[in-house]
Amino acid sequence: MDPQQLESNIESILAHIHGSIPGPPVSADAHLCILPDSDGGGGVDRVSGLPDALLRDIVSRLPIKDAARTAALSRRWRPIWLSVPLVLADTHLLPAGRDEIPTHVGLAESCAVAVAVFRILAAHPGPFRCIRLACSHMDDGHALVARWFHLLAIKGVQELFLINRRWPFSPTTRHMPATFFSMASLTRLYLGFWRFPDTAGLLRGAAFPHLRELGLCSVIENSDIDFVLARSPVLKILCLHGHMYPRLHLRLVSQSLRCVQIHWSDVETIDVVDAPCLERLIICGHWRPQGKGTRIKIGHAPALHLLGYLSPKNMLYLSATPPSRWAGTLVNESAMVPSVKILALQVRFGVRNDAKMLPSVFRCFPNVERLHIHSKRTDEPIGKLNLKFWQEAGAMECIKSHISLLIFHDFRGEKSELAFLQFFVESAKMLKNLMIICADGCFSSKAEAESKLQTLFTGKKASKCCLRLFYESGIPEGGYSWTFQIGSDFSYADPFGYLALG
């Protein structure tokens, strides 16, 4: 690939990664400043008289430059910064106005930031609450980076975000130092464009005993994920982003995992072998070569409550279906996942073979209560399906007796979409809310969109459901407004509908 084009592609991937991972706990919008004396107090320093606990709380909320500068205020302030668990985001070390665009940092500037990072890590006694390095130049042969890892390990880093912004970019990611596995204090870890040390040569005791959240961006190989899961006994959240080569075969064996998210990755197989606490399995922005689908096998996952985004291209195997049969039938209807209550699907209604798989998928999830349908555009519609097809498809328990909310995303007013929606309205006895979110730019006005939907409520209805129409989705068609935080935030009962449901 042309070097400039390659660099442009990598900038795009980095932008996706930075947009997906959680932000730093300290905002660069906070600033340490002196306000004019407005109460006639003669400039009396009342802040320095506050208890140490309050002063530490103030300093902990400042970006790193201002937090360190408090040591120069007076003898009273000098020990405060050193007694506060360190929060360091290297983007806050960039010149003013640059902290929001870490993917555009040049080599010289990146190296200068890396040196400043080392000085801060060396000067602060720890512990390190959160270290987020996203724009520093890193090279596993560079002594400076090796010393970073040593300091992070001995000073008890709790949250670490390490995105390897190398210059020039090489598609072969670098190995991390073996000392990486000595950071036993980690509770949250996000890595980008690194490779793990050779796990075969690590000591048996290498582990992350306190790790609860793990995000891997273009990092892991198939053998490494087994190693990390086996040595993370309290891991609850696993996020994968941008994994392309080699194609990932994800095998989930964990007694603690609650949420697994996979974004923009080439995942060939997902085998949920034994995950008794797993509640959410989310595949968002799914990427696979043309004509390829992810083969999903759900074994022991009795708590699985939320699943998406499935598409007819996914080969779905449930219960004890042996992997050797994965090349066979697309969906094993005899096996069901009754625990799933929230389901998200991607469907090309204009492609007959896609739509024909929906009845089989619905029968695998008989107790779904909330359904999200993302209607995908196809440039060459093949075999549009009418209302008669759906009426003859046979009974589908979840539609007939359980679904109370349907959110239909990227509605374009096509006859195939309307046929499915009409069948749904006529069949869903428990349906209370039907939300239609129009595809961006498909209708010139809300009135035009409403006219397309009039026929849905002129005939037979199975329930007195309420129709809500969103004329503008706010998201480009086929796109996702998604972050790892949304999917793993359990305060969102339905993260698939967080924009529509509020």
Side-chain angles (χ1 to χ4, degrees), residues 308-387:
Y309 294 87
L310 297 182
S311 76
K313 289 171 62 177
N314 295 134
M315 291 186 179
L316 179 63
Y317 293 87
L318 310 175
S319 189
T321 307
S324 61
R325 292 182 56 195
W326 278 10
T329 57
L330 195 63
V331 177
N332 178 5
E333 292 187 33
S334 64
M336 297 182 180
V337 186
S339 61
V340 171
K341 300 297 179 65
I342 302 174
L343 180 65
L345 304 173
Q346 295 177 331
V347 184
R348 296 177 298 174
F349 284 96
V351 177
R352 187 177 183 86
N353 287 338
D354 275 21
K356 283 175 66 176
M357 291 309 305
L358 275 182
S360 296
V361 173
F362 287 138
R363 293 186 184 103
C364 290
F365 304 99
N367 295 325
V368 168
E369 297 173 358
R370 291 188 174 193
L371 176 64
H372 295 263
I373 297 284
H374 283 254
S375 180
K376 309 297 290 184
R377 182 188 293 275
T378 178
D379 295 331
E380 298 180 3
I382 303 172
K384 295 180 180 180
L385 300 180
N386 55 25
L387 177 61

Side-chain angles (χ1 to χ4, degrees), residues 19 23 41 65 82 85 126 142 155 198 206 208 211 277 287 348 357 371 395-396 419 432 480 487 498:
K65 288 181 181 179
L82 295 177
H142 199 291
K155 296 187 180 183
D198 182 8
F208 295 121
L211 189 64
C277 296
W287 183 92
R348 296 177 298 174
M357 291 309 305
L371 176 64
M396 289 168 265
K432 296 179 181 178
Y480 298 88
Y498 78 101

Side-chain angles (χ1 to χ4, degrees), residues 61 118 146 256 412 468:
R61 297 171 186 271
F118 173 73
S256 59
R412 288 178 293 276
R468 293 174 61 188

Side-chain angles (χ1 to χ4, degrees), residues 272-294:
V272 184
V273 179
D274 185 17
C277 296
L278 184 65
E279 299 175 42
R280 298 182 175 187
L281 177 57
I282 301 171
I283 310 170
C284 184
H286 178 252
W287 183 92
R288 287 237 61 206
Q290 187 70 24
K292 300 287 186 178
T294 297

Side-chain angles (χ1 to χ4, degrees), residues 124-176:
H124 199 286
F128 295 165
R129 175 188 163 199
C130 179
I131 306 298
R132 183 186 175 97
L133 308 179
C135 69
S136 302
H137 176 63
M138 304 177 196
D139 187 327
D140 65 341
H142 199 291
L144 190 63
V145 176
R147 294 167 75 182
W148 278 2
F149 280 92
H150 176 70
L151 291 171
L152 292 169
I154 66 173
K155 296 187 180 183
V157 62
Q158 296 171 8
E159 299 184 10
L160 177 61
F161 296 75
L162 201 60
I163 309 301
N164 188 0
R165 178 65 176 93
R166 292 164 39 230
W167 192 286
F169 177 79
S170 168
T172 303
T173 52
R174 305 290 181 91
H175 281 93
M176 306 184 77

Side-chain angles (χ1 to χ4, degrees), residues 93-138:
L93 298 174
L94 295 172
R98 294 294 309 281
D99 50 271
E100 296 300 326
I101 48 171
T103 60
H104 297 165
V105 179
L107 177 59
E109 193 172 33
S110 178
C111 290
V113 170
V115 172
V117 166
F118 173 73
R119 289 175 178 169
I120 295 169
L121 296 180
H124 199 286
F128 295 165
R129 175 188 163 199
C130 179
I131 306 298
R132 183 186 175 97
L133 308 179
C135 69
S136 302
H137 176 63
M138 304 177 196

Side-chain angles (χ1 to χ4, degrees), residues 47-61 76-77 79-81 83-85:
V47 176
S48 295
L50 295 173
D52 284 0
L54 284 178
L55 294 182
R56 283 194 291 268
D57 189 46
I58 291 172
V59 173
S60 71
R61 297 171 186 271
R76 172 78 175 86
W77 285 83
I80 298 297
W81 176 66
S83 66
V84 174

